[in-house]
Amino acid sequence: MRLVVFRRLCLAGALLALCVIVLGAWVRLSHAGLGCPDWPGCYGHLTVGDAVENASHANAAYPERPLEADKALKEMVHRYFASTLGLVILALAILAFRNRRDPLQPVRLPAALVMLVVFQGLLGMWTVTLLLKPAIVTAHLVGGLTTMALLWWLSFEVPPAARPATEARLRTWSLVALVVLAFQILLGGWVSTNYSAMACPDFPTCQASYWPEMDFRDAFVLWRGLGIDYEGGVLDHPARVAIHFTHRIGAVVTALVLAYVAWLAVRTGASRAVRAAGAALAIALATQLVVGPVMVLETFPLALATAHNAVAALLVLCMVALLRFAFPPRSAR
C-alpha cells in the first residue's frame, strides 16, 4: 500500500514539476524574472500584497528596481509552486525511508531528489541575486527538467523483465536521442536567457538569409563576471543571431533523431507500453514542429513561446517513459 501511495505521489510531483517549468518559462518570457529583486521574499515580504501595501519602503530599499505588482505576482506564484514541489519531494524521501524494507521500494533516488531540489533552490536564489546570469538561469531550467524526469521515472511500476533482442537498436538510439534532446534544450535555454529569440524574426530564413552574419565567439561565453544585469540581454546582435541559428540547426538534428526513435518504438517495440510511448513521442514532436515555426511567424507571442517550452518538457516526459519501458529493471533497487 505504501508503495502505491509513493508512486502516486511521484506522479503528482512530476505533474507539479511540469507546472513549475511552464510557470518559470512564463515568468522569464514576460520579463518578470526580477519582479522580486530579493529572495526568498519579495521586497522583504512573503506576499506581494504586503509589498504593495508598503510600496514606498520597497521602492526605497530597491530604487534601481521599483515595484511592479504584476511582475512581482508572477515571480511569487512561481516560487510558491516550486516550494510546494520541494515539500512533495521531501515527503517522498520520508515515505521511501519508512518503507525501505520493501525490496521494490526505491530509496537512493528519492534521497538524491532531495539534494537536487535543495540545489535547485540555490539556483533559484542565484538567478535573482546574480541578476539573471544566463549560465545560472539555464542550469535552473535543466535542474527543473531533471527533477520532473526523475519523478516521472519513479512513478512507473515496471517489473523486472528480460530485454528483448528485437529492441536492441531502439535502446541504443533512445539513449542517443535523450542526449541530443538534452543538448537541444540547453541551446533553447541559452536562446531564452540571452534574449535571442527575436534575433531571427523570419522563417525558414534568418535575417532574410540562409547564413546571416553571426558572431559565434561571443555567443557562447559562459561566464562574464559578476555585477552585470542580464535583463534584456547584453550581447550584440550578431552573437544573438548565432545562438538562435545554432538552436535552429539543433532543432533539425533533434527532430530527425526523435522521429527515428519514435518510428523504431512503434515498429519494433515488443510491448504495448513501448509502442505507446513511441506514438506519444511522435505526437509531441509533431506538435513542436508546428509550434516552433508558427511562434516565429507570429512574432513570438507569449502564449506560443510558453507552449514551446511546455512541449519541450513533454518531449522529455515521452523520452523518459520510453526509456523506462525499454529498460525494465534487472533488480529491485
Side-chain angles (χ1 to χ4, degrees):
M1 183 63 184
R2 285 183 178 177
L3 192 55
V4 172
V5 173
F6 174 83
R7 302 232 183 256
R8 289 178 178 174
L9 191 56
C10 284
L11 177 59
L15 297 177
L16 180 57
L18 175 62
C19 291
V20 171
I21 290 165
V22 175
L23 280 171
W26 179 56
V27 168
R28 185 173 66 254
L29 293 165
S30 57
H31 307 290
L34 292 177
C36 295
D38 51 338
W39 192 91
C42 188
Y43 290 91
H45 300 277
L46 289 179
T47 68
V48 176
D50 289 342
V52 170
E53 289 179 4
N54 297 275
S56 58
H57 295 290
N59 292 334
Y62 297 93
E64 74 287 353
R65 200 168 293 280
L67 173 64
E68 295 180 64
D70 58 333
K71 290 186 177 181
L73 181 59
K74 291 176 182 179
E75 172 64 11
M76 287 306 292
V77 167
H78 178 238
R79 292 185 190 181
Y80 296 148
F81 270 75
S83 299
T84 303
L85 177 60
L87 292 176
V88 169
I89 289 173
L90 180 61
L92 282 169
I94 293 172
L95 277 174
F97 180 76
R98 293 184 63 183
N99 197 40
R100 63 190 182 277
R101 288 184 173 82
D102 186 336
L104 296 177
Q105 173 66 60
V107 175
R108 297 186 183 92
L109 198 50
L113 269 168
V114 172
M115 292 185 284
L116 177 59
V117 81
V118 169
F119 185 57
Q120 271 291 89
L122 291 173
L123 287 173
M125 177 184 69
W126 294 332
T127 291
V128 174
T129 59
L130 295 180
L131 305 176
L132 306 180
K133 185 175 286 295
I136 299 297
V137 181
T138 302
H140 195 38
L141 169 64
V142 172
L145 287 166
T146 303
T147 302
M148 178 193 70
L150 292 177
L151 287 166
W152 185 240
W153 178 276
L154 286 170
S155 72
F156 291 107
E157 183 179 358
V158 182
R163 298 173 181 177
T166 55
E167 292 182 356
R169 181 179 296 181
L170 171 63
R171 286 191 290 272
T172 299
W173 276 98
S174 294
L175 293 173
V176 172
L178 183 65
V179 173
V180 171
L181 178 60
F183 187 70
Q184 176 65 358
I185 288 173
L186 278 170
L187 283 174
W190 199 245
V191 169
S192 180
T193 57
N194 282 282
Y195 298 86
S196 301
M198 294 293 292
C200 293
D202 47 330
F203 182 88
T205 56
C206 175
Q207 298 292 325
S209 171
Y210 287 102
W211 192 261
E213 180 187 356
M214 294 178 279
D215 181 2
F216 288 97
R217 177 174 296 181
D218 198 37
F220 297 99
V221 176
L222 298 181
W223 188 264
R224 297 178 186 272
L226 299 173
I228 302 172
D229 187 345
Y230 288 91
E231 189 171 35
V234 300
L235 298 180
D236 292 333
H237 186 66
R240 299 189 194 208
V241 172
I243 295 171
H244 188 123
F245 197 80
T246 303
H247 183 54
R248 285 195 184 182
I249 295 173
V252 174
V253 174
T254 304
L256 291 173
V257 173
L258 292 184
Y260 180 58
V261 168
W263 178 82
L264 277 177
V266 173
R267 184 72 180 272
T268 68
S271 69
R272 183 177 180 181
V274 169
R275 294 191 298 272
L281 178 63
I283 293 170
L285 177 61
T287 303
Q288 191 72 310
L289 290 176
V290 172
V291 170
V294 172
M295 177 183 66
V296 176
L297 294 173
E298 293 295 326
T299 322
F300 303 95
L302 178 59
L304 279 179
T306 304
H308 189 53
N309 284 261
V311 179
L314 291 177
L315 284 169
V316 172
L317 291 178
C318 291
M319 278 305 310
V320 170
L322 179 56
L323 286 164
R324 187 63 165 137
F325 295 129
F327 287 88
R330 290 195 175 104
S331 60
R333 295 194 181 224

